[in-house]
């Protein structure tokens, strides 16, 4: 089906699954199409809220609007369905639409959670940090390891147990107590060695190391075991003084 009106004719539920930038345009097109009475319409954008569908109410007063976003990374359509089970979906919008989405998500083997409509941008930023930025950070780690002489093909298998251990620590203990490494111990000498080596061999990742280090330092200072005075010394290193 390529005709929009034909596609939605008589449908009780309409799912808009297009790139974020296309959602308002599709909603505007749908606004000129008669929908089924009491139809549920939702989109799957992570950053946009159900308010981006409000134009649909102009001709379809009984429509219920929502958004539903799966917290999962889909690198290809082929693998997408295999990754649906157990996934958390953030949903927000009209109550009747949310009641439908509760059942739909459960049917996928997923877990629906309701979030604030105004919170969608921050929610999606959180998802981006947890997913896209994780890939970027891993590439920085692999680049540093390769510069040290480790063969690139062995980097991910070598680091995976370490990453899984850190995730387990975070899940069990939280960010402060789950933080390990030289910054958590106030080990200024080791951080200094890192900075010198990075600046010499891989200067393009120095700013990433500084930014992440500053945030880790905020967490480390909340540890009871963190040594007094170390924070100022480590911060001076990040400032280059």
């Amino acid at each position: 089906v390529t005709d929009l009106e034909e596609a939605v004719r008589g449908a009780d539920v309409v799912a808009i699954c297009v790139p974020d930038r296309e959602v308002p345009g599709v909603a505007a097109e749908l606004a000129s199409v008669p929908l089924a009475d009491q139809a549920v319409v939702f989109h799957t954008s992570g950053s946009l809220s159900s308010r981006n569908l409000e134009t649909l109410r102009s001709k379809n007063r009984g429509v219920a609007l929502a958004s539903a976003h799966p917290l999962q990374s889909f690198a290809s359509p082929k693998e997408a369905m295999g990754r649906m089970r157990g996934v958390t979906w953030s949903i927000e919008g009209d109550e009747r639409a949310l009641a439908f989405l509760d059942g739909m998500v459960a049917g996928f083997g997923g877990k629906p959670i309701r979030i604030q409509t105004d919170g969608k941008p921050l929610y999606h930023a959180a998802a981006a940090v947890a997913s896209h930025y994780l890939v970027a950070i891993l590439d920085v780690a692999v680049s540093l390891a390769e510069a040290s002489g480790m063969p690139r093909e062995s980097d991910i298998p070598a680091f995976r147990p370490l990453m899984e251990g850190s995730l387990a620590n975070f899940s069990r203990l939280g960010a402060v107590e789950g933080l390990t490494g030289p910054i958590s111990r106030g080990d200024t000498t080791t951080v200094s060695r890192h900075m010198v080596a990075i600046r010499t061999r891989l200067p393009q990742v120095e700013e990433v190391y500084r930014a992440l280090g500053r945030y880790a330092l905020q967490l480390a200072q909340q540890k009871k075991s963190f040594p007094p005075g170390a924070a100022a010394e480590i911060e001076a290193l990040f400032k280059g003084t």
Side-chain angles (χ1 to χ4, degrees):
V1 175
T2 57
D3 179 77
L4 186 62
E5 184 170 354
E6 183 182 356
V8 302
R9 184 182 295 125
D12 295 321
V13 179
V14 177
I16 301 174
C17 306
V18 298
D20 291 13
R21 64 182 179 277
E22 304 292 344
V23 170
V26 172
E29 288 186 65
L30 277 176
S32 64
V33 174
L35 299 175
D37 188 40
Q38 301 293 302
V40 169
V41 182
F42 70 94
H43 66 68
T44 55
S45 164
S47 63
L48 301 179
S49 77
S50 56
R51 292 200 181 108
N52 290 85
L53 302 177
E54 282 292 333
T55 184
L56 290 171
R57 297 196 199 275
S58 59
K59 288 191 177 180
N60 301 277
R61 295 294 180 183
V63 71
L65 308 176
S67 70
H69 179 254
L71 264 175
Q72 180 57 284
S73 173
F74 304 118
S76 71
K78 186 176 181 180
E79 67 182 15
M81 285 308 298
R83 291 189 172 186
M84 283 291 197
R85 186 160 297 279
V87 169
T88 295
W89 292 63
S90 69
I91 61 176
E92 59 78 31
D94 298 335
E95 193 58 41
R96 184 163 59 82
L98 295 181
F100 164 77
L101 289 170
D102 281 339
M104 185 199 79
V105 171
F108 283 142
K111 303 171 184 176
I113 58 167
R114 302 189 181 195
I115 66 171
Q116 297 176 356
T117 296
D118 291 338
K120 280 301 287 284
L122 285 177
Y123 155 80
H124 197 247
V129 171
S131 177
H132 322 323
Y133 288 8
L134 176 61
V135 173
I137 289 171
L138 290 178
D139 191 66
V140 169
V142 168
S143 297
L144 287 166
E146 188 177 18
S148 78
M150 284 183 68
R152 191 174 184 88
E153 62 272 13
S154 68
D155 289 343
I156 294 300
F159 283 114
R160 185 166 180 168
L162 175 63
M163 294 185 292
E164 291 175 344
S166 295
L167 180 59
N169 289 341
F170 182 90
S171 299
R172 184 169 58 89
L173 302 172
V176 174
E177 295 306 319
L179 183 69
T180 61
I183 290 178
S184 74
R185 299 189 294 270
D187 187 347
T188 309
T189 302
T190 297
V191 175
S192 178
R193 289 196 189 102
H194 290 179
M195 295 289 293
V196 171
I198 290 171
R199 191 176 301 121
T200 303
R201 297 289 302 277
L202 219 63
Q204 64 268 31
V205 306
E206 182 178 354
E207 191 54 40
V208 176
Y209 183 90
R210 289 177 188 269
L212 293 172
R214 284 194 175 100
Y215 196 91
L217 183 59
Q218 293 178 33
L219 296 175
Q221 290 178 80
Q222 299 175 53
K223 285 178 170 283
K224 294 179 180 179
S225 59
F226 190 78
E233 295 178 7
I234 294 175
E235 183 60 39
L237 288 172
F238 290 147
K239 290 179 178 178
T241 57

